[in-house]
Amino acid sequence: MINDNIYITYIFKDRNTNQLIQQLVVRNTVKAYESVLLTIQQLTEKYSLSAQDIIVEN
């Protein structure tokens, strides 16, 4: 039996254009939240966006 809850996929989009910026697949652990925060920080630096301009969906 396969456990589908092992990994979570997060989608990062630009709020202004609704364009996909990045997709992140992480293990479903407490540290997943830290990975999302780190990815947001990296995207703000890479694309010169504010954190408020990044939409995170899972």
Side-chain angles (χ1 to χ4, degrees):
M1 183 172 165
I2 297 174
N3 186 350
D4 292 335
N5 295 325
I6 294 175
Y7 295 98
I8 296 178
T9 302
Y10 292 96
I11 306 293
F12 298 84
K13 293 183 178 181
D14 182 336
R15 180 182 303 277
N16 301 316
T17 63
N18 203 32
Q19 187 173 19
L20 176 69
I21 302 173
Q22 176 126 359
Q23 184 173 341
L24 174 69
V25 179
V26 293
R27 289 184 69 85
N28 189 6
T29 65
V30 175
K31 293 193 177 210
Y33 181 73
E34 293 175 13
S35 296
V36 170
L37 291 179
L38 180 61
T39 301
I40 290 172
Q41 180 183 1
Q42 292 170 344
L43 292 174
T44 58
E45 294 170 3
K46 182 176 181 179
Y47 293 105
S48 299
L49 294 169
S50 68
Q52 293 80 14
D53 287 336
I54 298 173
I55 300 171
V56 182
E57 301 173 349
N58 66 346

